[in-house]
Amino acid sequence: MSSSTAITHVHPHRHAHGHGHDHHHDHAHPHADPDCGGAACEVAARPIDFSALAAGGALLLRIPDMDCASEEAQIRRALEGQAAVRGLRFDLGARTLAVDAPDSAWPAVEQAIAAAGLKTERLSQPTSAADTRRRQRREATQLAAALLLALGAEVIHFAAPDTRPWQIASMAVAALAIGLSGFGVYRKGLTALARGQLGISALMTVAVTGAFLIGQWAEAAMVMALYSIAELIEARAVDRARHAIGGLLALTPPMAEARQPDGSWREQRADTIARGAVVRVRPGERLALDGRVTAGHSAIDQAPITGESVPVEKAPGDEVFAGTINQQGALEYEVTAPASDTVLARIIHAVEQAQGTRAPTQRFVDRFAAIYTPTVFAIALAVALLGPWLAGWPWLAALYKALVLLVIACPCALVIATPVTVVSGLASAARRGILIKGGAYLEEARRLRHIALDKTGTITEGRPRLVARELVDDRQEQARVWQLAASLAARSDHPVSRAIAQGLHDAGTLAVDDFGAAAGRGTNGRIHDQALVLGNHRWIEERQQCSPALEARMQAHEALGRSVSLLADDHGVLALFAVADAIKPGTPAAVAQLRALGVQPIMLTGDNPATAQAIAAQAGIGDVRAGLLPQHKLEAITALNAQAPGTVGMVGDGINDAPALAAAALGFAMGQAGTHVATEAADVVIMNDDLRRVPETVRLSRRTHAILWQNIALALGIKAVFLLLAVLGSATMWMAVFADMGASLLVVFNGLRMLRWKG
């Protein structure tokens, strides 16, 4: 009954990430109760493009009985042995399946699905959304009628005279109610029993049939009607979590205004616009594609991508992203990615893949359920066979108690307790600009006690800026000295030179003759026959142009973590320029939040100790390890891991810090939206490069873990109470169903609270 779309791969596989982790995307099947694992399977929020799949050679099937995760699990198991099957795409709402396999394998695929007890029909076109809605309305009406009939059977049972005609009437009404609500359940249950599977459909089939045979017609009808209605409500509730991230897809408009070859503008479908085209977006409109601004100035609300609450100013040369909102002026931008490969599309795809990984708690629950259901089934059998001998119960009473136990044996609430919470947590994180690659990493973040932080691009902005300029030779004209420095700096690609050129952009530039660059020293050239150098401390010392006073001025800047460049001619130093990589505004707050969570921040940097200490002091970090090469960072992480295994995280750029990210229990990459959305070197990607997202991830993980165990306690607690009541004879079948499905809904809605998590 789910209306979601799922993407699965038939075989579990290991996906090796760039930083050395073998991340296991465990597409394991529910062990004990596939009917109840509604959110445990991989999910995609995007509708299936059946035309493209058909054109690519996919087999399109309609499977009338495929309405929830149980059938999806059955099909996955049935096709595991089909080597020709490359992948599966499920649309449970439309009951449609696309099988990526060559034509020659199609008959074998259909036979395997039929052997699993599911009928198939080949399709040339998918079921329309309107048809799906009509079918869902028809199902809801049918279940409402079944509930009314079940209530009628109860009324006849309690109010009518205990005569044969009324008994026949009660039985007929109950049978009709069971037929309306449980025909599909019976069909699936009998198939599961034939295959030796104890799923909820099999348990319900046995329980309802047994109740009917011992004369509990009205109760059997009520059990089936309540179960089917609760399953429908549960499926829709789970869909809310499964589709939460898919809501982002609606942020991208289907149409965009593109410039035509003749210079005119025309609206066209965004998915037909190629990379390199120029698109125009007006104030108040959403961007349909990623690109780079070519004309116009505006502020863009990037919250859907990065979680930033403040609009970001955009000018020519700046990147913009699909799904963001243009606030003020009109913009023209060159498309840098097709609609299928925008930052937003890749975020959604990454979360879809993350939903396919199974968190540790989820794996524990699956293993527990694999033991729980057969155990309770065995207890029910013992009650039915041994109760009359050991406790003196009447045979019918013992059989009834056993049937109640069968209903309680369903681990539905238990199995669904974890995935809906994990999926909600992943979706909540993604909407806040935190891309977590799987439930395992979402859970792992709560265990962090040490966070190693790279300096450049993590603690600092990674973009050096000119922060101070001083005239050293007072005999010189200040404006001309600034112009000379700007002229030399503008000719160099070195980050420090670029920072100086940007800081002196108002000074103007002059022609430079005989320009050259000395590696590790600086630049030189001639301006109006005046020989000049713009170099570092070492070069000026080599030129023997340093003085004690100048040394003191340079040391004052270096103590603040600044890089000093000096402009000099043949007669001496003319000016001093200090460049610094400014600390990010949110860094001190992030460090304070980590400390409040009991997480110790540590700076690991290749920069010199003076600069590192200065930056660390501004950030509030006490443990600083400077002058480190990548292998030294790895050694530091390894040493921390040895002291406290599984509690060490690493935050870096995902490239230079790859060895350290690999060694850490959890790697965080500063995503720099648009370069590598799902950076392979990390388990978590911070989309807006805001370090405060790291403690936020820890808080989210701890909250998710708390709700997971709340759900497990609720599910097991309710089961335990009704198990005891059933053995004591105080629980009826319909009460057991009501409690079981009520517990399922309770854990689903409790898990959905993560969608509203505010941090």
Side-chain angles (χ1 to χ4, degrees):
M1 300 174 194
S2 170
S3 59
S4 65
T5 303
I7 297 178
T8 82
H9 296 286
V10 177
H11 304 287
H13 61 281
R14 294 189 70 83
H15 178 71
H17 285 251
H19 64 293
H21 285 301
D22 269 346
H23 295 296
H24 188 183
H25 291 255
D26 182 3
H27 305 296
H29 315 305
H31 298 288
D33 187 11
D35 296 24
C36 298
C41 52
E42 304 89 326
V43 180
R46 286 171 282 189
I48 297 174
D49 185 350
F50 279 94
S51 300
L53 287 171
L59 169 63
L60 305 183
L61 297 173
R62 183 176 185 275
I63 304 175
D65 289 335
M66 185 183 72
D67 57 7
C68 65
S70 60
E71 292 77 39
E72 182 181 334
Q74 282 180 259
I75 292 169
R76 291 204 308 269
R77 281 194 296 271
L79 296 180
E80 274 185 334
Q82 301 284 334
V85 176
R86 295 181 291 265
L88 307 173
R89 286 179 178 258
F90 290 86
D91 187 336
L92 301 181
R95 302 187 181 187
T96 310
L97 168 65
V99 183
D100 183 8
D103 297 7
S104 59
W106 290 5
V109 168
E110 291 171 306
Q111 289 171 12
I113 295 174
L118 297 167
K119 296 181 180 178
T120 63
E121 304 167 9
R122 286 198 188 183
L123 287 177
S124 57
Q125 295 293 329
T127 304
S128 69
D131 288 342
T132 299
R133 286 193 296 271
R134 280 194 293 270
R135 179 184 56 75
Q136 290 173 343
R137 283 196 297 268
R138 184 171 64 251
E139 285 179 347
T141 303
Q142 186 174 309
L143 290 178
L147 181 60
L148 289 174
L149 287 169
L151 288 170
E154 290 278 12
V155 170
I156 294 172
H157 176 72
F158 285 108
D162 190 13
T163 60
R164 188 168 182 78
W166 284 106
Q167 288 178 346
I168 293 173
S170 176
M171 183 173 65
V173 172
L176 185 57
I178 292 171
L180 281 174
S181 60
F183 183 73
V185 176
Y186 260 98
R187 186 167 53 210
K188 290 183 286 187
L190 292 173
T191 300
L193 286 170
R195 297 172 63 86
Q197 297 169 352
L198 291 179
I200 180 58
S201 295
L203 295 176
M204 291 301 301
T205 297
V206 173
V208 171
T209 302
F212 203 87
L213 291 176
I214 65 174
Q216 299 291 335
W217 309 309
E219 190 157 355
M222 184 63 73
V223 165
M224 187 60 82
L226 283 175
Y227 165 72
S228 298
I229 291 171
E231 188 183 50
L232 176 64
I233 295 171
E234 178 189 298
R236 300 288 170 84
V238 171
D239 275 348
R240 210 179 132 200
R242 299 175 74 172
H243 283 173
I245 191 63
L248 289 175
L249 193 68
L251 298 177
T252 53
M255 306 293 289
E257 194 176 17
R259 180 186 290 159
Q260 305 304 304
D262 62 2
S264 63
W265 295 90
R266 181 170 65 86
E267 285 254 325
Q268 62 185 90
R269 285 176 50 188
D271 57 8
T272 66
I273 299 175
R275 184 185 286 108
V278 176
V279 171
R280 182 168 65 184
V281 59
R282 294 186 173 87
E285 293 181 343
R286 288 188 184 271
L287 280 71
L289 296 157
D290 289 357
R292 185 170 288 103
V293 177
T294 57
H297 291 77
S298 185
I300 298 284
D301 179 0
Q302 297 189 153
I305 301 294
T306 65
E308 293 171 291
S309 58
V310 179
V312 179
E313 294 293 329
K314 298 292 182 180
D318 291 336
E319 288 184 307
V320 290
F321 309 109
T324 58
I325 306 168
N326 183 25
Q327 300 263 303
Q328 299 165 345
L331 289 177
E332 294 179 14
Y333 63 93
E334 179 185 346
V335 175
T336 56
S340 61
D341 197 37
T342 63
V343 169
L344 185 60
R346 284 182 280 160
I347 289 174
I348 294 170
H349 178 64
V351 177
E352 290 163 2
Q353 289 184 322
Q355 291 176 3
T357 66
R358 302 174 78 75
T361 304
Q362 188 172 341
R363 291 194 294 269
F364 160 76
V365 166
D366 286 343
R367 289 193 297 268
F368 181 85
I371 299 169
Y372 169 82
T373 300
T375 300
V376 179
F377 192 88
I379 292 172
L381 192 61
V383 166
L385 297 178
L386 301 179
W389 298 97
L390 299 179
W393 296 334
W395 283 100
L396 286 182
L399 184 57
Y400 183 81
K401 291 177 189 287
L403 295 175
V404 175
L405 284 171
L406 284 183
V407 175
I408 296 172
C410 168
C412 194
L414 184 62
V415 171
I416 210 169
T418 50
V420 69
T421 306
V422 170
V423 170
S424 297
L426 291 171
S428 181
R431 293 192 302 202
R432 300 175 69 84
I434 305 168
L435 190 56
I436 303 173
K437 293 185 179 180
Y441 312 122
L442 176 61
E443 281 205 59
E444 204 162 335
R446 71 183 175 83
R447 302 180 63 232
L448 295 180
R449 293 296 178 270
H450 302 85
I451 286 282
L453 306 167
D454 179 43
K455 181 180 75 67
T456 305
T458 299
I459 295 173
T460 65
E461 293 179 349
R463 295 185 297 272
R465 297 178 182 177
L466 180 65
V467 294
R469 49 184 172 174
E470 300 176 10
L471 195 64
V472 174
D473 188 343
D474 295 334
R475 296 169 298 177
Q476 302 293 324
E477 182 187 351
Q478 180 174 276
R480 177 170 172 74
V481 171
W482 299 158
Q483 190 176 39
L484 294 173
S487 302
L488 281 175
R491 294 290 301 274
S492 173
D493 289 330
H494 191 279
V496 172
S497 293
R498 287 202 302 266
I500 294 173
Q502 180 64 31
L504 299 174
H505 67 278
D506 291 334
T509 59
L510 300 168
V512 180
D513 299 320
D514 302 328
F515 177 80
R521 288 170 174 77
T523 61
N524 63 289
R526 300 183 69 84
I527 300 177
H528 295 166
D529 292 327
Q530 182 181 7
L532 296 162
V533 300
L534 180 63
N536 59 20
H537 188 175
R538 179 190 304 172
W539 201 4
I540 298 302
E541 280 191 337
E542 290 174 356
R543 289 166 59 92
Q544 298 182 349
Q545 292 180 313
C546 268
S547 66
L550 183 58
E551 289 277 1
R553 293 171 77 166
M554 284 190 289
Q555 288 174 7
H557 287 291
E558 288 171 352
L560 296 174
R562 298 169 177 175
S563 297
V564 177
S565 295
L566 301 156
L567 178 68
D569 61 11
D570 291 338
H571 303 291
V573 175
L574 306 179
L576 176 153
F577 301 92
V579 170
D581 185 4
I583 191 170
K584 290 181 180 178
T587 296
V591 170
Q593 290 173 27
L594 286 170
R595 291 186 184 281
L597 291 167
V599 181
Q600 179 68 29
I602 304 164
M603 180 192 287
L604 303 181
T605 178
D607 212 337
N608 66 77
T611 299
Q613 288 289 351
I615 295 296
Q618 295 178 51
I621 299 173
D623 191 345
V624 182
R625 307 179 192 187
L628 304 181
L629 295 174
Q631 61 265 32
H632 298 143
K633 292 183 181 181
L634 171 60
E635 290 168 4
I637 294 293
T638 303
L640 287 169
N641 270 332
Q643 297 171 14
T647 67
V648 182
M650 172 70 191
V651 188
D653 62 10
I655 300 171
N656 297 330
D657 301 308
L661 287 168
L666 201 66
F668 293 81
M670 290 295 161
Q672 300 174 3
T675 51
H676 297 285
V677 177
T679 306
E680 289 298 315
D683 307 307
V684 181
V685 179
I686 307 300
M687 297 301 297
N688 67 347
D689 292 0
D690 188 340
L691 195 58
R692 286 172 292 188
R693 296 291 191 241
V694 175
E696 194 170 307
T697 303
V698 176
R699 290 196 297 271
L700 174 66
S701 175
R702 293 181 182 180
R703 182 60 178 159
T704 301
H705 183 74
I707 289 182
L708 283 175
W709 284 99
Q710 285 175 18
N711 282 348
I712 291 170
L714 282 170
L716 289 178
I718 292 172
K719 292 283 185 188
V721 168
F722 273 84
L723 190 66
L724 180 62
L725 290 176
V727 173
L728 296 176
S730 301
T732 62
M733 281 185 65
W734 71 265
M735 286 170 59
V737 169
F738 192 80
D740 182 74
M741 301 313 294
S744 297
L745 296 178
L746 193 60
V747 300
V748 165
F749 289 120
N750 192 39
L752 288 176
R753 290 194 299 138
M754 289 306 303
L755 292 176
R756 300 190 301 274
W757 184 75
K758 301 297 183 184

